[in-house]
Amino acid sequence: MTQLDSSTAVSNPGSEAGPFDVLKHNFLQIWQVLAALALIYGFFFIMSEPFRSFDTLLSIFGQASILAILACGTTIVLISGGLDLSVGSIFAVVGVAVGIFMAEWGLPPFMAVGLGLLMGAALGALNGTIQVITKVPAFIVTLGGLTAYKGLAEILASGRDLSRFPDAFTFLGTGNTTPMIIMFAVAILTGLFLTKTRLGSRAFAIGGNEEVARLSGVPVAKSRIYYYMLGGLLAGLAAIVEVAKLNFAMPARGQSYELYAIAAVVIGGTSLFGGRGGVGKTLLGMFIMQTIIVGLSYMGVGTSYQRIAIGAIIIVAVYWDVWRRSTR
Amino acid sequence: MTSQGDSASRPAVLEAQGISKHYGGIVALDDVDLSLHEGEVLAVVGDNGAGKSTLIKALTGAISKTSGVVKFDGVETQIDSPSDAKAAGIETVYQDLALVNEISITKNVFLGREIVRDDWLGRWFGVLDFKKMDTEIRSLFGKLDVRIADIYREAEAFSGGQRQAVALSKTVMFGKRVAILDEPTAALGVRESKMAMDLVRSLKDHGLSVIMITHNMQHVLNYCDRVMVLRLGKLVAVRNVKDVDGDTLVGLITGATEAGAAA
């Protein structure tokens, strides 16, 4: 396979890869995911009458959008070979904090949003910093963060009624469309970051082979902190959109979001082991997962069974990732 | 080439004195001196565990040395990290650690030294200048006759020889003075080895002095000017290649031949 590729790659020295080749290359990478999506969507389309409406499609997007914003950050971290299990708890902290900023301190929405984003970024950066300094595996550091930040959110929220926010804020969560627009904007920016910028493109190198990146002069530790920071920032943004949509904030929100985000990223085809992936794939993965959730509920399958289904799909997706790596 | 033979009489680019590396009580490298002259290819040979890789890693800041001094053009230079070495004009190709499989040839060549756009997008957001990197790579590959058609392909799609050619090209693009190569033909077939070694020879024409670790005595005899032999962490001999043959070298490596005067 590799040999064949290399021989075709030199058979034509000096030729340039046209835009069509790039398109073809990208399509070859995601056609399996697209096929899976078509199959799953088709299955529910046939099985459930109400699933067929356009409103259903819209609500799939709408429900997926908050998680998808958070998952864009997860994509960056996973591509760089990292892992952040604490983003669900960062989500909770920022949600509660933004609620306090407005409901208790009376800060104007734009300021509350700005501070909330800063907070998300700071908590993410803290994870990254602890990890690169102590060299404790990301899994453990961010597992600690998951519990600790959750506790922080509970302390901040205790005894407070955080609801009824100004319209200038709740508009961020209006219907399905505003969160969707924010999601697409975030996805496009994340995509540009990963493919067009120095820091973003280095995530692939660090995730692919950290030692080569280090020997090539890439500041690996500093870059990693930035990736965790962006993951935290986007978790914060997702929380802000959700608080705006619900018009209340509570520390229980965001539970297991990190796992759903990782699931969506991996289902989409980004490697859990770093070095490969993209944000378009994450959106596809999120769409697949949300289609299954919505489809199953339309068929009258309860949430507990949906969880089992998602769990099974995560294992299949990771197995597929492992299998693809071994056959390369 | 004029380089064969009298390279020792030319000024030294890189000198190392008394380089040692201890891992706890284990001495991996014991008081090794090295001098690399302008425009020569210096071979470093020795059995497994002789300290060859440790020596170049200590020289390039990939590992910290226990003691020793590195001089560049006669001036003592602090080299504590791979970036320090690069800043001094030393470019290294590590065995098995030359390219990242998952990223394109373009990104591999410029990894750590990406060119950003010369406008606000570049300054503020580090947006890359793909056009400029593209042009530089094509002219580099053209100059060195490296045939890689699709520079946007991931590195893993290419053969060992092509990957090594890309790694060696990197030393020409960025190495201002010295290229250090750790077994550049280790994983290559016969034909690909010859291509890689021809490329190594052409590094000289691009103003580089080369230090090369190798196990292949034919490569030492055919492509190098001088050779230094390490055994169990110690420098046992330095010879002009024209003064030795394969048997002598093997004897020095294994310890069967006792080292006389060094070149």
Side-chain angles (χ1 to χ4, degrees):
Chain A
M1 178 70 193
T2 313
Q3 235 22 57
L4 185 79
D5 279 348
S6 65
S7 63
T8 52
V10 274
S11 64
N12 208 356
S15 80
E16 292 187 30
F20 178 73
D21 292 318
V22 175
L23 213 67
K24 195 175 108 188
H25 185 62
N26 286 340
F27 180 74
L28 284 176
Q29 285 193 326
I30 60 164
W31 74 268
Q32 291 122 317
V33 183
L34 280 172
L37 176 60
L39 270 176
I40 292 162
Y41 196 83
F43 172 77
F44 289 118
F45 199 88
I46 294 163
M47 296 300 286
S48 161
E49 170 86 51
F51 188 83
R52 287 167 217 172
S53 75
F54 182 69
D55 281 348
T56 305
L57 190 62
L58 212 61
S59 80
I60 290 175
F61 269 117
Q63 288 182 28
S65 52
I66 288 167
L67 256 174
I69 293 168
L70 182 136
C72 285
T74 306
T75 311
I76 299 172
V77 173
L78 284 180
I79 286 175
S80 75
L83 177 72
D84 194 345
L85 293 174
S86 75
V87 286
S89 298
I90 293 179
F91 183 100
V93 174
V94 173
V96 168
V98 169
I100 293 173
F101 294 153
M102 286 182 296
E104 300 233 326
W105 297 8
L107 289 184
F110 76 91
M111 244 168 122
V113 168
L115 280 176
L117 292 177
L118 264 178
M119 230 174 142
L123 292 175
L126 182 64
N127 277 339
T129 311
I130 293 175
Q131 199 213 311
V132 300
I133 290 177
T134 64
K135 307 254 194 304
V136 173
F139 175 79
I140 301 297
V141 171
T142 61
L143 191 62
L146 183 146
T147 328
Y149 295 160
K150 180 80 182 202
L152 179 63
E154 282 165 0
I155 293 166
L156 289 176
S158 70
R160 292 191 159 103
D161 170 25
L162 304 171
S163 58
R164 292 180 299 279
F165 302 117
D167 290 346
F169 177 75
T170 52
F171 119 91
L172 285 174
T174 320
N176 288 323
T177 34
T178 325
M180 246 169 69
I181 291 168
I182 296 174
M183 170 188 79
F184 280 119
V186 166
I188 289 169
L189 286 175
T190 309
L192 289 174
F193 170 73
L194 284 170
T195 55
K196 304 288 180 214
T197 71
R198 178 166 54 192
L199 181 62
S201 70
R202 283 175 173 175
F204 293 89
I206 294 173
N209 195 327
E210 182 173 343
E211 188 61 10
V212 175
R214 190 179 75 86
L215 292 171
S216 302
V218 172
V220 172
K222 200 170 93 186
S223 308
R224 278 200 187 284
I225 294 173
Y226 280 123
Y227 303 140
Y228 282 97
M229 193 183 86
L230 287 171
L233 176 88
L234 291 178
L237 179 61
I240 287 164
V241 175
E242 195 186 72
V243 170
K245 187 183 176 108
L246 300 175
N247 204 5
F248 67 81
M250 54 185 277
R253 304 301 307 180
Q255 176 115 34
S256 302
Y257 277 20
E258 65 283 336
L259 295 181
Y260 284 110
I262 291 170
V265 172
V266 175
I267 290 170
T270 290
S271 175
L272 195 53
F273 309 103
R276 292 171 217 278
V279 78
K281 294 176 179 176
T282 297
L283 290 193
L284 271 178
M286 190 54 83
F287 194 55
I288 288 181
M289 206 166 71
Q290 212 56 236
T291 302
I292 293 169
I293 291 173
V294 171
L296 287 176
S297 8
Y298 275 34
M299 286 174 66
V301 178
T303 19
S304 312
Y305 289 98
Q306 290 173 24
R307 290 208 177 112
I308 294 173
I310 295 295
I313 290 163
I314 293 173
I315 294 172
V316 171
V318 174
Y319 174 72
W320 185 36
D321 184 19
V322 171
W323 180 80
R324 265 188 312 187
R325 291 197 138 227
S326 66
T327 54
R328 248 169 230 284
Chain B
M1 289 300 303
T2 53
S3 55
Q4 201 78 26
D6 58 348
S7 65
S9 60
R10 264 176 265 153
V13 186
L14 181 72
E15 288 168 285
Q17 288 158 1
I19 305 283
S20 296
K21 175 67 186 175
H22 299 185
Y23 291 100
I26 298 163
V27 181
L29 208 58
D30 186 11
D31 196 23
V32 172
D33 295 344
L34 172 152
S35 70
L36 176 68
H37 301 279
E38 201 83 60
E40 73 171 347
V41 179
L42 171 68
V44 179
V45 298
D47 213 342
N48 291 331
K52 307 182 297 292
S53 291
T54 311
L55 174 64
I56 65 156
K57 281 188 172 152
L59 277 181
T60 57
I63 57 173
S64 61
K65 47 189 179 294
T66 310
S67 63
V69 178
V70 176
K71 285 187 185 165
F72 214 75
D73 290 327
V75 182
E76 191 172 331
T77 310
Q78 202 69 23
I79 294 178
D80 295 326
S81 72
S83 317
D84 289 347
K86 282 172 202 299
I90 304 173
E91 198 60 28
T92 313
V93 179
Y94 297 96
Q95 196 186 346
D96 304 326
L97 288 172
L99 305 181
V100 178
N101 280 331
E102 285 86 350
I103 63 176
S104 71
I105 294 295
T106 313
K107 286 184 172 170
N108 262 302
V109 169
F110 283 96
L111 182 59
R113 274 170 302 212
E114 299 85 347
I115 300 176
V116 297
R117 287 165 60 126
D118 192 18
D119 56 14
W120 64 276
L121 281 171
R123 271 193 297 278
W124 288 70
F125 299 104
V127 174
L128 300 168
D129 192 339
F130 287 104
K131 212 179 231 168
K132 201 162 171 188
M133 291 195 277
D134 191 307
T135 317
E136 290 211 5
I137 287 186
R138 282 180 203 286
S139 94
L140 175 75
F141 285 177
K143 201 163 70 183
L144 297 174
D145 198 25
V146 171
R147 303 201 314 162
I148 303 276
D150 187 353
I151 58 177
Y152 294 108
R153 246 355 230 280
E154 287 86 354
E156 68 191 351
F158 296 93
S159 71
Q162 288 174 311
R163 292 160 54 88
Q164 196 57 257
V166 172
L168 292 172
S169 311
K170 240 180 121 165
T171 67
V172 173
M173 182 168 274
F174 298 109
K176 289 184 265 313
R177 308 295 305 278
V178 175
I180 300 184
L181 318 173
D182 189 356
E183 292 201 50
T185 62
L188 305 184
V190 175
R191 200 175 59 88
E192 290 192 315
S193 286
K194 187 178 176 324
M195 276 167 50
M197 288 312 300
D198 287 341
L199 199 49
V200 169
R201 178 138 62 188
S202 75
L203 297 183
K204 291 205 283 194
D205 307 334
H206 292 92
L208 290 165
S209 313
V210 181
I211 299 175
M212 182 180 82
I213 290 182
T214 184
H215 277 296
N216 188 317
M217 293 309 131
Q218 282 312 309
H219 290 167
V220 175
L221 297 174
N222 294 339
Y223 294 94
C224 300
D225 302 304
R226 287 191 307 138
V227 52
M228 55 187 285
V229 184
L230 295 177
R231 188 162 68 231
L232 301 173
K234 287 193 169 68
L235 178 64
V236 294
V238 183
R239 294 278 193 275
N240 276 323
V241 164
K242 62 176 185 229
D243 301 334
V244 291
D245 55 29
D247 291 340
T248 321
L249 278 178
V250 172
L252 287 167
I253 289 168
T254 57
T257 313
E258 273 315 308

